[in-house]
Amino acid sequence: MTTQLSRRAFLQGLSGAAALAGLAACVQPGGPQGDDVDAARQTIELYVGGTFQPEVARGEGLDHLLEARHLADEWEAEHSDYALEFVAGPGGEGIEQWVKSLQAAGTMPDILNAVDNWLNRDIGTDYWVIVDDYVEEPNHYIPQGELGHDRWRDAFIAGFDARNRMIDSHYYGVPQAINGVQIFCNLDILEASGVDFESEIIDPRWTFDDMLGISQRIADAGHTPWSLAWAPPYWNWIQTTALSGFLKSTGKWSVLDTNNDDFVTSIERFKAIDRGDWTADSVEFRAMHQMAQDWTQYWSEGFLGLTSAEMSALFARGEAAFWWSTSNSYPVVQNDPLREFDFAIARFPLCFDRMATIGQGGPTQYPGGAYNTIAMTATATRNGTLDPCVDFMKLFTSCEGQGRLSREHGGVVPAVFCAQGRPELEQFKPDVGETFLLTIHMRSMHFDYGETYWRITSEWLGGTLSYDEAMAKFQPVMEQFAKDAIERAEA
């Protein structure tokens, strides 16, 4: 039986009469109480993932999250025909297999945290609900005058089109938070290496080649510059960071962006491969890989075999100057009781100097990151709960909802412009008109495609294959995945 976190269980788990009284006030007076309330309402099940899922252990020194349950209670008070139940999921690496098992059993929650490569993988099935029409509606939870009030999709930070438009050109969900890619800096190692964080890294912002020079100084001082490896998902971010700029610097962008909307979607990339306009030996691809190769000389020893957990442990022990991770890690580092060094965060280095070597230096590029998406499933269709699910998702992605959720979490940036998150993470929230994500990495285009790319490029970085041999090996893989994706998109 599925484990659920209902209002009743949630209230029992809270301590303090004031908290209990505050939530109890949300219950309609004069109606059924306790178990009778649940019996009288239609249940909507939801799983919002490890980001906001209530009552999930987050690590030492971090409280369980409560705001998602609070928002559900407030919504239920205005929608007395429904009860929102948070379904317990496995989290971490086990979630994909869990979702597959739910799909096979026909027991998916009505609302489910989804990943873009799952959605692309499932094109042609009825597992997920297309939300094209819904995102064109107003969001009445967003105040008038704010982006998103008149049209829901306008609320989301730039990149919604690129990340959420699947290979069949449809939308299947909306972002619920941003994990901004950022650099964690060990200030003690920087000081010992003669590097000034303020004047050399953030004011003015460092460039990629500045970063390489600083890394060399750290290595010369006897320290490990980077706790980083060529392991999932790190290699993805290198592409996310640099590829848009490289394509724009040479003019190739206009070739791939066939609808001229300043986003190169997965299907546009696949169609460019199929036409022969995007190949493994392109100048932009080579520039991206050269950037990676130049960087790896400062990565952790044995970087081809390290896991993400081993990299985070290296930085946590104070043994590396820099660690590239998402903002989701911020509260973990901040609250680590064993941390014995001062740290700060910075944006990823600017890449326009590298762009200028193959074309023209492009505009400032935001360092990328990942949206956490929430989507509706076949269960919502079957149960007739689509409209109430959309309404709650609108509350979840409102200024108020996003602000409360992200501030409580402490490690994510709100997915909507109008919300205010943690002040120390505001630098990772793009402004209106600033690039967040103009094209996406291969793993998001298709999971197996990305994993195949990773294995082949690992052979190159490990010296088993030359670069030309690796790309020649990857070219037919690109072509086959492109043909398969186009066939599924047009079916």
Side-chain angles (χ1 to χ4, degrees), residues 4-12 27 31-44 69 73 76 80-85:
Q4 298 173 337
L5 179 63
S6 65
R7 173 200 278 109
R8 190 160 177 265
F10 175 72
L11 291 175
Q12 290 172 344
V27 180
Q33 301 293 312
D35 290 334
D36 292 335
V37 172
D38 295 335
R41 295 177 169 183
Q42 182 174 1
T43 298
I44 294 175
R69 183 65 255 178
D73 290 333
E76 284 181 3
S80 57
D81 292 337
Y82 301 97
L84 294 172
E85 307 281 3

Side-chain angles (χ1 to χ4, degrees), residues 26-174:
C26 295
V27 180
Q28 297 276 343
Q33 301 293 312
D35 290 334
D36 292 335
V37 172
D38 295 335
R41 295 177 169 183
Q42 182 174 1
T43 298
I44 294 175
E45 294 185 339
L46 65 162
Y47 177 76
V48 294
T51 304
F52 294 135
Q53 190 75 2
E55 289 297 319
V56 173
R58 296 202 296 156
E60 191 169 0
L62 295 172
D63 294 330
H64 291 182
L65 300 174
L66 306 177
E67 281 294 355
R69 183 65 255 178
H70 289 163
L71 286 170
D73 290 333
E74 293 163 15
W75 186 88
E76 284 181 3
E78 300 297 325
H79 300 80
S80 57
D81 292 337
Y82 301 97
L84 294 172
E85 307 281 3
F86 287 90
V87 176
E93 296 297 324
I95 186 172
E96 184 180 7
Q97 292 303 317
W98 177 66
V99 170
K100 284 183 177 179
S101 68
L102 295 178
Q103 289 175 337
T107 57
M108 298 171 76
D110 302 67
I111 297 174
L112 183 61
N113 173 231
V115 178
D116 44 19
N117 56 56
W118 304 351
L119 299 174
N120 271 329
R121 177 195 64 203
D122 294 337
I123 295 299
T125 71
D126 63 354
Y127 292 143
W128 309 97
V129 176
I130 294 173
V131 298
D132 295 6
D133 293 337
Y134 290 112
V135 296
E136 299 295 328
E137 297 176 348
N139 185 344
H140 62 281
Y141 292 108
I142 294 177
Q144 191 167 5
E146 297 282 0
L147 288 171
H149 173 81
D150 296 330
R151 188 172 70 160
W152 187 17
R153 61 177 286 185
D154 292 338
F156 298 102
I157 288 172
F160 171 58
D161 280 0
R163 186 86 187 188
N164 281 73
R165 190 187 302 162
M166 297 298 107
I167 61 172
D168 61 355
S169 298
H170 290 302
Y171 300 108
Y172 289 85
V174 296

Side-chain angles (χ1 to χ4, degrees), residues 423-472:
E424 60 268 43
L425 299 180
E426 281 297 292
Q427 63 175 302
F428 301 102
K429 177 181 177 181
D431 296 326
V432 176
E434 184 182 9
T435 299
F436 171 61
L437 205 61
L438 295 182
T439 190
I440 58 179
H441 54 67
M442 293 178 186
R443 206 180 191 204
S444 288
M445 292 167 68
H446 189 287
F447 183 85
D448 292 336
Y449 178 50
E451 292 297 291
T452 303
Y453 163 80
W454 170 66
R455 288 194 296 271
I456 292 173
T457 50
S458 295
E459 292 182 72
W460 159 59
L461 286 171
T464 305
L465 297 176
S466 71
Y467 180 76
D468 288 339
E469 289 171 337
M471 292 302 102

Side-chain angles (χ1 to χ4, degrees), residues 204-469:
R205 278 186 61 193
W206 55 355
T207 68
F208 189 81
D209 286 300
D210 291 336
M211 180 272 289
L212 294 181
I214 289 172
S215 297
Q216 184 63 55
R217 288 161 57 191
I218 293 168
D220 290 343
H223 303 286
T224 299
W226 284 89
S227 179
L228 194 54
W230 193 253
Y234 291 86
W235 59 266
N236 293 318
W237 297 342
I238 294 169
Q239 295 195 51
T240 304
T241 300
L243 186 54
S244 298
F246 284 136
L247 289 168
K248 288 201 167 189
S249 71
T250 64
K252 182 64 71 67
W253 183 267
S254 60
V255 176
L256 273 62
D257 182 23
T258 53
N259 64 355
N260 299 313
D261 66 349
D262 205 34
F263 292 102
V264 173
T265 62
S266 296
I267 195 62
E268 285 179 320
R269 289 258 291 278
F270 279 133
K271 286 184 175 180
I273 294 168
D274 195 53
R275 296 191 307 266
D277 289 333
W278 181 237
T279 63
D281 65 351
S282 68
V283 64
E284 300 87 358
F285 222 39
R286 286 180 177 273
M288 184 182 72
H289 288 109
Q290 186 62 56
M291 188 178 100
Q293 188 177 49
D294 292 346
W295 192 9
T296 56
Q297 63 183 307
Y298 302 111
W299 290 8
S300 314
E301 185 178 352
F303 66 85
L304 284 172
L306 290 183
T307 65
S308 58
E310 289 169 330
M311 286 184 290
S312 62
L314 184 69
F315 183 80
R317 293 194 302 267
E319 297 175 13
F322 301 122
W323 177 42
W324 194 13
S325 187
T326 63
S327 55
N328 192 58
S329 302
Y330 183 81
V332 178
V333 175
Q334 185 182 45
N335 291 278
D336 183 355
L338 300 179
R339 176 171 56 83
E340 298 180 345
F341 56 90
D342 290 333
F343 82 100
I345 51 177
R347 279 191 173 198
F348 187 75
L350 299 172
C351 300
F352 58 72
D353 49 355
R354 288 299 175 114
M355 298 172 200
T357 64
I358 62 171
Q360 297 180 349
T364 298
Q365 295 292 308
Y366 185 72
Y371 274 135
N372 290 311
T373 298
I374 46 175
M376 294 185 296
T377 73
T379 301
T381 303
R382 184 173 61 250
N383 292 344
T385 59
L386 290 178
D387 287 342
C389 284
V390 167
D391 194 79
F392 180 70
M393 288 164 65
K394 287 180 176 179
L395 175 62
F396 215 68
T397 57
S398 66
C399 315
E400 174 73 13
Q402 282 285 291
R404 286 165 52 182
L405 289 163
S406 61
R407 286 193 300 272
E408 179 192 42
H409 183 277
V412 293
V413 178
V416 299
F417 288 113
C418 59
Q420 295 298 314
R422 288 278 290 268
E424 60 268 43
L425 299 180
E426 281 297 292
Q427 63 175 302
F428 301 102
K429 177 181 177 181
D431 296 326
V432 176
E434 184 182 9
T435 299
F436 171 61
L437 205 61
L438 295 182
T439 190
I440 58 179
H441 54 67
M442 293 178 186
R443 206 180 191 204
S444 288
M445 292 167 68
H446 189 287
F447 183 85
D448 292 336
Y449 178 50
E451 292 297 291
T452 303
Y453 163 80
W454 170 66
R455 288 194 296 271
I456 292 173
T457 50
S458 295
E459 292 182 72
W460 159 59
L461 286 171
T464 305
L465 297 176
S466 71
Y467 180 76
D468 288 339
E469 289 171 337

